[in-house]
Amino acid sequence: MTDQSMTCVLDGALVSPPPIWLMRQAGRYLPEYRKIRQEAGSFLDLCYNPDLAAEVTMQPIRRFDLDAAILFSDILVIPDGLGIPVRFEEGRGPILDPVRDHEAVKRLDTEAVRSRCAPVYEAVAKIRAGLSNTKTLIGFAGGPWTVAAYAVEGGSSKGFGEIKAWMWRDPPGFRALIDVLVEATIEHLSRQVEAGADCVQLFESWAGVLPEPEFQCYVVDPTRRIVDGLRFRHANLPIIGFPRAAGHMIETYVSETKVSAVGLDTGVPMAQALALQRKLPIQGNLDPLLLVSGGTALRQRVEDLIGILASGPFIFNLGHGIVPQTPPDHVAALITMVRETAQVSSG
Ligand code: CP3
């Protein structure tokens, strides 16, 4: 048994008010984050410092009393651990030494992830030790397709020209990269669970850029292997999949990967959300920019979301991460709204 509202929902229970956490709940919109970030040096130095990573993970919990903490880290620690150096430049986002052929994949070191990421697992243990038992600790990793997109493009991309060119030109070589990422992801998430994570989320942020056959090969199949690999080691581990912008391919993703719950992006219509909720717990999908606006537009949408989705297993969240210009007061107001609206509609 658990006394965590979020793991109850992941188990299929209806909880009112619904548990709430927010993607990127620790980050630049918080002054206390900006202070620690400055002290830490680079963004990756912060990710690899267990004390500071634990501290910034706890900042939004202390400030807002959210129902879950998400490990402060990044999806790019896996490529960094594999031997694809990652750096973050102000205003440019991440920059990686690109991997573009089979020879480069053969040089990656799967074994190195667990030693390079040891400080990440140490952070998980510290967070769990300081977090109330009523709050869920979420571990995470990027989906293999999304991580591959950063590794092959060498950073953020709009067109995905390099990765798509390689994927179609040399399927065995590209598959070798996906295979390495699948193994590294199973290892990385298992270590987080062993250190104290209660559940994990797979961020497949670029799921939406693939045509259906490639979505099957490079999103659905690898995710299924990760889910199987994790459950082999940790039976019943709750796993949230977040196949962002995948439209109607979300149905296939859900039925074939066996994730425990699905995160819905802002573009998912309520009719589709309700249909999915008949199959599994759902999480989402408030527009992060509504949280920037606040006011009556925000209140109206929160009431709508709760009116429509809170009568089934539901975790309140955004449809994508909090943006840096979000006023922290709007986050506090959102949490109060969710808790009060749900009381009214069930009372
Ligand atoms: O949700 C949380 O609070 C946990 C922490 C978290 C971060 N990144 C911290 C972060 C999580 C879950 C991520 C996931 C992540 N990282 C994704 C998947 C989710 C998504 O947003 O689609 C992706 C694609 C990345 C890769 C990444 N990391 C990019 C593209 C960037 C730069 C973007 C930017 O806004 O500059 C990052 C940096 C990053 N990761 C920051 C934070 C708080 C900002 C870095 C800073 O403090 O300067």
Side-chain angles (χ1 to χ4, degrees):
M1 276 307 278
T2 171
D3 45 10
Q4 297 172 6
S5 58
M6 172 144 161
T7 49
C8 288
V9 174
L10 291 172
D11 238 15
L14 198 165
V15 175
S16 183
I20 174 169
W21 71 279
L22 304 168
M23 290 188 276
R24 290 272 178 102
Q25 62 193 22
R28 282 169 297 189
Y29 76 107
L30 290 177
E32 60 268 37
Y33 170 83
R34 295 197 295 271
K35 182 163 177 287
I36 301 275
R37 168 79 166 73
Q38 215 164 19
E39 285 167 20
S42 77
F43 172 69
L44 279 181
D45 288 340
L46 175 52
C47 291
Y48 293 132
N49 181 319
D51 289 315
L52 296 184
E55 166 59 22
V56 293
T57 301
M58 292 305 293
Q59 286 174 344
I61 310 302
R62 286 199 291 262
R63 199 192 249 256
F64 304 119
D65 191 34
L66 291 143
D67 295 296
I70 178 161
L71 164 69
F72 185 84
S73 184
D74 199 84
I75 66 166
L76 299 179
V77 298
I78 287 191
D80 196 52
L82 285 168
I84 307 170
V86 178
R87 57 188 204 283
F88 283 84
E89 276 182 15
E90 222 51 62
R92 275 191 68 188
I95 298 173
L96 298 82
D97 294 356
V99 174
R100 292 187 179 159
D101 57 39
H102 202 164
E103 287 310 307
V105 176
K106 289 179 188 154
R107 289 192 293 271
L108 300 179
D109 185 357
T110 326
E111 298 294 304
V113 174
R114 73 176 86 114
S115 49
R116 181 90 163 104
C117 290
V120 175
Y121 317 133
E122 215 182 300
V124 172
K126 280 180 192 289
I127 300 159
R128 189 59 278 178
L131 190 66
S132 150
N133 287 334
T134 62
K135 304 220 183 269
T136 299
L137 175 54
I138 307 165
F140 74 92
W145 164 255
T146 296
V147 175
Y150 285 95
V152 178
E153 299 291 335
S156 302
S157 171
K158 287 207 167 69
F160 301 91
E162 291 290 343
I163 190 169
K164 288 188 174 180
W166 183 16
M167 165 182 98
W168 278 311
R169 180 180 68 238
D170 170 29
F174 182 67
R175 247 175 236 275
L177 174 61
I178 295 289
D179 289 348
V180 165
L181 291 172
V182 165
E183 289 315 311
T185 306
I186 294 171
E187 185 64 33
H188 186 59
L189 290 175
S190 284
R191 298 264 157 169
Q192 293 179 38
V193 173
E194 284 149 24
D198 301 294
C199 68
V200 298
Q201 175 156 321
L202 272 171
F203 287 85
E204 196 70 278
S205 304
W206 300 115
V209 305
L210 284 173
E212 196 171 11
E214 287 76 18
F215 180 84
Q216 181 73 42
C217 294
Y218 299 123
V219 173
V220 174
D221 297 348
T223 303
R224 174 67 198 256
R225 284 159 58 204
I226 292 170
V227 170
D228 286 348
L230 285 172
R231 297 246 173 83
F232 181 75
R233 297 196 201 180
H234 308 283
N236 308 322
L237 174 69
I239 302 168
I240 307 165
F242 178 48
R244 190 168 72 87
H248 277 295
M249 298 186 293
I250 299 173
E251 274 75 5
T252 318
Y253 178 93
V254 158
S255 60
E256 296 191 20
T257 63
K258 309 289 178 216
V259 290
S260 324
V262 67
L264 305 179
D265 63 87
T266 304
V268 174
M270 285 299 105
Q272 187 184 5
L274 273 173
L276 284 162
Q277 199 184 37
R278 283 194 278 275
K279 300 182 191 143
L280 82 177
I282 59 174
Q283 170 178 284
N285 72 344
L286 187 81
D287 192 324
L289 295 179
L290 252 177
L291 196 52
V292 178
S293 299
T296 44
L298 175 65
R299 176 171 297 279
Q300 188 56 55
R301 189 62 51 86
V302 169
E303 285 172 8
D304 288 351
L305 273 172
I306 290 184
I308 297 167
L309 300 176
S311 45
F314 178 49
I315 297 163
F316 198 100
N317 205 318
L318 305 176
H320 200 187
I322 294 187
V323 295
Q325 67 270 32
T326 306
D329 287 354
H330 290 187
V331 176
L334 168 71
I335 294 160
T336 307
M337 264 179 229
V338 169
R339 292 184 175 149
E340 285 175 357
T341 307
Q343 298 296 351
V344 171
S345 51
S346 64

